[in-house]
Amino acid sequence: MIERGKINDNQFRVLVILFIFGPAVLLETSLLAAAAKQDAWISAVVGVGIGLLIVWLYTKIGSKFPERNLFEKLEYVFGKWIGKIVSLLFFFFFFQLAAHILRNIGDFVTVHIMPETPIHFVEIIFLCIVIMGVRLGLEPIARTGEILFPWVIFFFFIMIVSLPPEFKIENIKPVFEGGIKPILKGSTTVIAFPFMESILFLMIYPYVNKIKEANKAFFTGALIGGGVLILISVYTILVLGADFTARNVYPSYALAKKINIADFFQRIEAIVAGMWFISIFYKLTICFYASTVGLAQILNLKEYRSLTLPLGMIMVVLSIIISPSMAEFMSYLPKYEFPFNLTFGLFFPLLFLVVAKIRKKTGKEPMNQTKGDGL
């Protein structure tokens, strides 16, 4: 195994929550409101429900050959050459996802915090910290996640308890105005972003101490993260309204600006920014970690750390090319993200289970082979 560290089920759960919490906490509600308007919160509920079914599917895959990560499973079931080709496709999926997240960070900082700073400088500084974390390994990443996670909960709690005075019930009326179609359209965003992306946690499965606890932690982490998305969607629509939410790229950041208690406790949007920076750091770190470990296995390297710097340099360039502007990125998500994520988040996992089932029924189930062999 390239990775020698081990994490417990609670650390794994924290990583899942932070991953789902990540960029979705700022971007998701805008896409939901654009599709379903005031019924965006219903889309969130439907999307989270279906997303949890997808996570349950991933736990079934994680339970098969639990001593192997996703890339090893693919090569083990599909055979050496087909498995490597599919693994390479997954590497590109993980890597472009990391590049998109890095671009999200650069866009947010240059728009709201340091508008005169070139975006590539922001990305390089942030990525240096990510590379440092990935080089230290999975165990330090998970342990620091446990340390920082209470701060995310604390910041989120402050925002949640401070906003009810700003609620406007009329903002969610009328319910089901556009029928079921807009709601289902909005839910696809939640299903693809972030639930289908969570397939990369199968790269971490072998390093969790107990596989049964890993399954439970994966599902409960996704449930908690999904609950947060639903809650933020409800709050955003109730406070800002569907129209303003759909037109604002970062509605959750604008939501924090509405907090005003006795004209004293107000303008605490830095809390949302801090909460977002912690969670998106972990999402980017997990994506980059999965990419580097996966590529090292495809190339049959003994360790992955030598790949972190060159892949980091490529990622900065790719993040600029892949999304020339925030407007293009927001238009890209609803059009192309769902079909793209559907391929890697549902089609290939189902194909994996089907092939593994056929192998078992035909007596060619690869359990009898030594680790790393093809079929």
Side-chain angles (χ1 to χ4, degrees):
M1 297 175 72
I2 291 179
E3 174 61 61
R4 301 297 179 183
K6 285 288 185 178
I7 63 176
N8 60 41
D9 59 304
N10 186 60
Q11 292 168 340
F12 186 59
R13 184 183 296 107
V14 166
L15 292 178
V16 173
I17 295 171
L18 291 173
F19 181 90
I20 292 178
F21 200 88
V25 78
L26 279 184
L27 299 171
E28 194 79 57
T29 48
S30 177
L31 298 170
L32 287 173
K37 298 183 180 178
Q38 67 270 18
D39 291 330
W41 65 276
I42 304 177
S43 287
V45 172
V46 174
V48 169
I50 298 174
L52 290 175
L53 293 176
I54 293 172
V55 170
W56 173 80
L57 173 66
Y58 297 160
T59 63
K60 294 301 179 184
I61 296 174
S63 298
K64 286 187 174 294
F65 325 122
E67 74 284 359
R68 304 169 186 273
N69 64 32
L70 177 61
F71 284 24
E72 291 170 326
K73 291 178 194 290
L74 292 172
E75 188 172 340
Y76 198 48
V77 170
F78 290 115
K80 183 177 180 180
W81 296 111
I82 296 178
K84 280 191 178 296
I85 293 172
V86 178
S87 296
L88 190 61
L89 293 175
F90 267 98
F91 162 75
F92 286 121
F93 174 61
F94 294 160
F95 193 67
Q96 66 83 30
L97 176 59
H100 269 125
I101 296 168
L102 185 63
R103 181 56 190 249
N104 291 159
I105 296 166
D107 283 331
F108 180 77
V109 172
T110 54
V111 168
H112 289 286
I113 301 175
M114 296 185 292
E116 297 183 5
T117 303
I119 189 171
H120 53 276
F121 282 119
V122 174
E123 293 183 356
I124 290 171
I125 292 171
F126 201 93
L127 190 58
C128 285
I129 304 172
V130 172
I131 290 174
M132 186 185 304
V134 171
R135 290 180 68 89
L136 289 173
L138 180 62
E139 197 170 328
I141 292 171
R143 288 182 176 181
T144 54
E146 274 190 312
I147 295 171
L148 294 176
F149 181 66
W151 288 101
V152 175
I153 297 299
F154 176 68
F155 291 154
F156 182 71
F157 177 77
I158 290 176
M159 186 179 75
I160 291 302
V161 300
S162 302
L163 281 169
E166 304 296 326
F167 283 176
K168 298 177 182 176
I169 301 299
E170 60 271 17
N171 284 344
I172 63 172
K173 298 178 181 179
V175 179
F176 285 104
E177 181 185 26
I180 194 67
K181 187 176 179 180
I183 293 174
L184 294 177
K185 181 180 179 182
S187 69
T188 59
T189 303
V190 179
I191 296 167
F193 170 70
F195 284 100
M196 285 185 179
E197 297 170 346
S198 64
I199 190 174
L200 58 78
F201 277 100
L202 295 178
M203 294 295 294
I204 301 176
Y205 246 77
Y207 315 123
V208 183
N209 288 331
K210 298 178 181 178
I211 191 63
K212 289 184 178 179
E213 281 73 10
N215 289 336
K216 183 178 179 181
F218 195 2
F219 191 83
T220 55
L223 178 62
I224 294 170
V228 169
L229 292 181
I230 293 172
L231 199 56
I232 290 177
S233 300
V234 173
Y235 269 59
T236 306
I237 297 299
L238 282 172
V239 176
L240 301 179
D243 185 58
F244 183 83
T245 300
R247 289 186 288 107
N248 198 303
V249 178
Y250 305 108
S252 300
Y253 190 74
L255 187 66
K257 294 180 181 181
K258 295 290 185 178
I259 296 175
N260 186 354
I261 300 177
D263 291 327
F264 174 73
F265 190 69
Q266 55 183 331
R267 296 306 300 264
I268 58 168
E269 57 268 21
I271 286 179
V272 174
M275 180 173 60
W276 182 74
F277 275 122
I278 293 173
S279 58
I280 201 170
F281 165 77
Y282 280 96
K283 180 161 187 176
L284 177 57
T285 301
I286 292 167
C287 290
F288 190 59
Y289 172 84
S291 300
T292 52
V293 171
L295 184 60
Q297 289 178 183
I298 292 171
L299 299 176
N300 295 322
L301 302 180
K302 293 183 178 180
E303 61 91 29
Y304 66 89
R305 290 169 178 82
S306 60
L307 297 175
T308 54
L309 187 57
L311 284 180
M313 296 169 64
I314 296 171
M315 187 184 297
V316 172
V317 177
L318 181 61
S319 69
I320 303 298
I321 297 173
I322 204 169
S323 179
S325 68
M326 194 61 194
E328 290 192 34
F329 175 73
M330 294 301 289
S331 64
Y332 160 84
L333 283 179
K335 292 180 181 178
Y336 304 107
E337 184 188 35
F338 184 72
F340 190 60
N341 287 15
L342 186 68
T343 302
F344 291 95
L346 190 59
F347 172 74
F348 278 122
L350 289 175
L351 182 62
F352 171 88
L353 290 175
V354 170
V355 173
K357 188 83 169 178
I358 293 173
R359 294 286 189 181
K360 187 174 182 179
K361 285 187 175 181
T362 56
K364 299 178 180 180
E365 212 259 330
M367 270 298 203
N368 296 326
Q369 298 187 36
T370 59
K371 186 173 179 179
D373 292 341
L375 294 175

